[in-house]
Amino acid sequence: MVVAYQHEPFTDFTIEANRQAFEAAIKQVEGELGKSYPLIIGGQRIMTDRTIKVVNPADHNEVIGYVAKANEALAEKAHQAADETFEWWRKTKAAFRADILFRAAAIVRRRKHEFSAHLVKEGGKPWKEADADTAEAIDFMEYYGRQMLRIDEGFEINSRPVENNRFHYIPLGVGVVISPWNFLFAIMCGTTVASMVSGNTVLLKPASSTPIIAYKMMEVLEEAGLPDGVINYIPGSGKEVGDYLVDHPRTRFVSFTGSRDVGTRIFERAAKVQSGQKWLKRTIIEMGGKDTIVVDRDADLELAANAITYSAFGFSGQKCSACSRVVAHEDIYDTLLDRVVELTKDTVNYGNPVNHHAYMGPVIDQGAYDKIMDYIKIGKKEGKLMTGGKGDDSKGWFVEPTVFADVDPEARIMQEEIFGPVVAFTKARDFDEAIMIANNTEYGLTGAVITTNRHHIEQAREDFMVGNLYFNRGCTAAIVGYHPFGGFNMSGTDSKAGGPDYLLHHMQGKTSSEML
């Protein structure tokens, strides 16, 4: 029997000893800045002439490190290594693969502050967000290891007196994992180890903004006993390396987390059958969101204001689950809006996240900064600016937490994913209209409803079309094993990360029947 896993606890930074330990970890990480990191192909370390310069988004003059950059030739070398390794790796026992994850999780748990401190530097994450990111990575390794052991027990099907029937899952083949920069450890780790523990071999192309944490995960997995060639670390250009691997006829599946535009492009490319390809490629795709918190007339407004604030501005709104839209009943709209503005001004400070008092840090890079500031300009035309609206990219890429009011549901800032600390308010006449507005987007990832009305809770459960719906809390902070995560419509394939059927997306069912 497989024992259930309770998720990794978060660190309480109100305890002085924990703060001191984290500050020491930041100093340790700062002592390692500027290093060079090679590719890892078939266990071989390879340096290249071209490198990715990784900088601290809170101080773009501080170089985190230089990472070797793969090209098509090296991508092909990695694919061949993964293909060859798959021939024996697919036959390994599930327990062997799961034990690697349990060992890796234990290593990261012992070095938790070190990894989190690196997320502060490479990803610009405030302490709390970095700690949660590392905890989630640990959770993914523990949870997927246990899920693989469950799947390996097999599934009962019917037999007859004249035949014995069996049904089990086998791995797919070589998978391409393209991970995002926002959950630079958790999602990168989760998508990679899910592919591996299922018996597949992996080509890992992490986001170019945050590739170093992926190298550090590779070191942990190697220490935990991962054989050469099972996971191959190949950072590089999306258009050069990413497209090549997605198109490759020997690629069996693609696991991608990122923007809608890139996700739909990958989906389209993966659908094309290449010369020599003898399967239909599977895609596991999680894209964006335009996530709404609905606040009913019958609601705890203080709870609602706090839920909106942390859902909109946690990690500077750089979450696909972040609240970027609030639909409030007209009777409580003004009171709620005023309280959110007050909370934002009083509690949501921003600055370099090495300081544990920083609620928000920077946005990830100049491109993100420019995009968000452009949307703020649009918002000033489409609604009433209540607070925020300014940015400063002189040293790091900082954007003020920004609230717009009285925005039309069809406005661009109500429809398009901004991926920054910007939230727009609109009002509804009644709950039916609130749900209609909430669904008026091409996305369907997360949402929340704040209400004490039981009928409205049940109505939303049926009619609010999102993959993750929360009642009387914010719309962020899904926990592995508790809130399987994935969305509808243009939010992706709804392959529920951290859920009981996630690994099955990386496998295929096989029936065998023996006549007796």
Side-chain angles (χ1 to χ4, degrees):
M1 180 179 177
V2 181
V3 179
Y5 170 71
Q6 300 294 319
H7 82 90
E8 180 70 15
F10 304 134
T11 304
D12 184 355
F13 290 116
T14 65
I15 298 173
E16 179 64 23
N18 290 341
R19 290 201 302 272
Q20 290 179 355
F22 201 87
E23 287 167 352
I26 290 174
K27 292 295 183 185
Q28 177 187 343
V29 169
E30 287 175 340
E32 300 173 356
L33 299 181
K35 289 184 177 181
S36 295
Y37 298 88
L39 308 176
I40 305 176
I41 298 176
Q44 179 185 3
R45 260 69 174 172
I46 301 173
M47 286 305 301
T48 58
D49 293 334
R50 297 188 305 163
T51 60
I52 300 169
K53 181 181 178 182
V54 183
V55 302
N56 180 353
D59 181 359
H60 36 63
N61 291 317
E62 183 176 72
V63 178
I64 307 301
Y66 300 89
V67 177
K69 191 174 185 180
N71 54 25
E72 278 193 13
L74 288 166
E76 176 60 32
K77 180 181 176 73
H79 211 300
Q80 290 177 10
D83 216 356
E84 292 168 6
T85 304
F86 177 70
E87 288 308 307
W88 64 266
W89 178 251
R90 67 185 175 88
K91 299 179 182 180
T92 55
K93 293 183 178 180
F96 174 81
R97 303 192 299 267
D99 284 347
I100 292 172
L101 293 192
F102 300 147
R103 169 74 171 146
I107 294 168
V108 175
R109 188 178 291 112
R110 287 194 290 269
R111 297 166 54 192
K112 185 178 180 184
H113 288 339
E114 174 193 340
F115 280 93
S116 298
H118 189 85
L119 303 184
V120 171
K121 284 289 185 177
E122 186 178 11
K125 290 210 159 188
W127 288 24
K128 181 180 177 181
E129 299 279 349
D131 182 73
D133 196 317
T134 302
E136 187 173 9
I138 295 169
D139 284 345
F140 275 131
M141 289 187 279
E142 292 275 6
Y143 183 80
Y144 289 149
R146 283 166 173 74
Q147 285 298 315
M148 190 63 235
L149 295 178
R150 281 197 173 91
I151 292 168
D152 191 54
E153 293 173 353
F155 294 83
E156 184 177 348
I157 58 172
N158 294 329
S159 290
R160 299 182 295 179
V162 296
E163 67 182 7
N164 179 36
N165 301 321
R166 297 180 185 176
F167 177 78
H168 67 289
Y169 284 93
I170 63 173
L172 290 172
V174 178
V176 176
V177 173
I178 302 174
S179 62
W181 52 261
N182 61 336
F183 286 87
L184 55 161
F185 191 10
I187 294 180
M188 178 275 301
C189 177
T191 51
T192 301
V193 303
S195 303
M196 176 275 282
V197 80
S198 304
N200 305 289
T201 52
V202 181
L203 303 168
L204 170 58
K205 196 197 88 61
S208 294
S209 299
T210 57
I212 297 175
I213 190 66
Y215 184 88
K216 292 183 177 295
M217 183 197 71
M218 290 293 297
E219 291 181 320
V220 167
L221 289 170
E222 288 172 336
E223 182 182 344
L226 183 74
D228 293 345
V230 175
I231 301 175
N232 300 273
Y233 169 77
I234 47 170
S237 161
K239 289 191 175 180
E240 183 178 8
V241 172
D243 285 354
Y244 182 81
L245 295 175
V246 169
D247 294 346
H248 201 291
R250 293 294 298 170
T251 292
R252 187 61 182 83
F253 68 94
V254 181
S255 177
F256 167 80
T257 306
S259 71
R260 176 196 182 282
D261 289 346
V262 177
T264 52
R265 185 171 182 271
I266 287 173
F267 187 72
E268 183 177 3
R269 295 183 80 101
K272 183 177 180 180
V273 177
Q274 305 289 338
S275 176
Q277 181 178 323
K278 61 179 184 179
W279 44 61
L280 300 177
K281 292 172 185 169
R282 191 171 294 181
T283 54
I284 305 161
I285 294 178
E286 199 275 292
M287 299 187 290
K290 192 65 182 171
D291 309 299
T292 305
I293 293 181
V294 172
V295 184
D296 199 6
R297 177 170 54 189
D298 302 314
D300 180 334
L301 296 189
E302 187 63 19
L303 183 155
N306 278 283
I308 292 163
T309 303
Y310 75 72
S311 297
F313 303 131
F315 191 41
S316 303
Q318 297 176 116
K319 302 178 183 181
C320 53
S321 60
C323 172
S324 59
R325 311 195 310 164
V326 175
V327 181
H329 192 286
E330 60 185 9
D331 290 354
I332 52 88
Y333 177 88
D334 291 333
T335 303
L336 176 68
L337 175 63
D338 289 345
R339 183 58 181 144
V340 170
V341 170
E342 182 182 28
L343 275 176
T344 302
K345 290 178 177 178
D346 291 346
T347 64
V348 188
N349 64 317
Y350 65 97
N352 192 321
V354 295
N355 181 344
H356 84 273
H357 294 297
Y359 190 111
M360 283 189 359
V363 298
I364 192 63
D365 58 22
Q366 190 69 51
Y369 176 87
D370 291 342
K371 175 186 174 184
I372 295 163
M373 294 308 297
D374 284 345
Y375 271 111
I376 288 174
K377 289 179 183 176
I378 293 167
K380 289 177 180 178
K381 298 177 182 177
E382 294 183 331
K384 180 181 178 182
L385 178 65
M386 301 299 295
T387 187
K390 297 186 180 66
D392 182 358
D393 62 349
S394 58
K395 185 175 183 180
W397 294 291
F398 293 96
V399 179
E400 289 182 340
T402 301
V403 179
F404 287 104
D406 306 338
V407 183
D408 189 289
E410 300 293 336
R412 287 184 63 186
I413 64 167
M414 286 287 283
Q415 290 292 324
E416 299 174 14
E417 187 176 40
I418 299 171
F419 224 66
V422 180
V423 63
F425 277 67
T426 194
K427 64 180 65 172
R429 293 186 303 273
D430 53 32
F431 193 75
D432 289 343
E433 185 181 43
I435 294 298
M436 183 188 70
I437 295 171
N439 286 331
N440 180 25
T441 167
E442 66 180 1
Y443 297 102
L445 187 53
T446 75
V449 174
I450 315 296
T451 185
T452 58
N453 185 314
R454 191 78 232 169
H455 173 75
H456 288 169
I457 287 175
E458 295 309 316
Q459 180 181 346
R461 202 187 300 274
E462 295 294 330
D463 295 339
F464 197 164
M465 296 305 295
V466 291
N468 284 65
L469 177 58
Y470 303 103
F471 295 108
N472 294 313
R473 53 156 285 187
C475 60
T476 63
I479 297 175
V480 173
Y482 294 72
H483 315 116
F485 188 82
F488 305 158
N489 304 333
M490 282 298 166
S491 289
T493 55
D494 196 38
S495 41
K496 291 290 193 182
D501 65 349
Y502 185 70
L503 294 186
L504 300 183
H505 294 283
H506 306 75
M507 310 177 80
Q508 53 192 349
K510 185 172 184 178
T511 301
S512 61
S513 180
E514 180 183 3
M515 296 303 296
L516 302 177

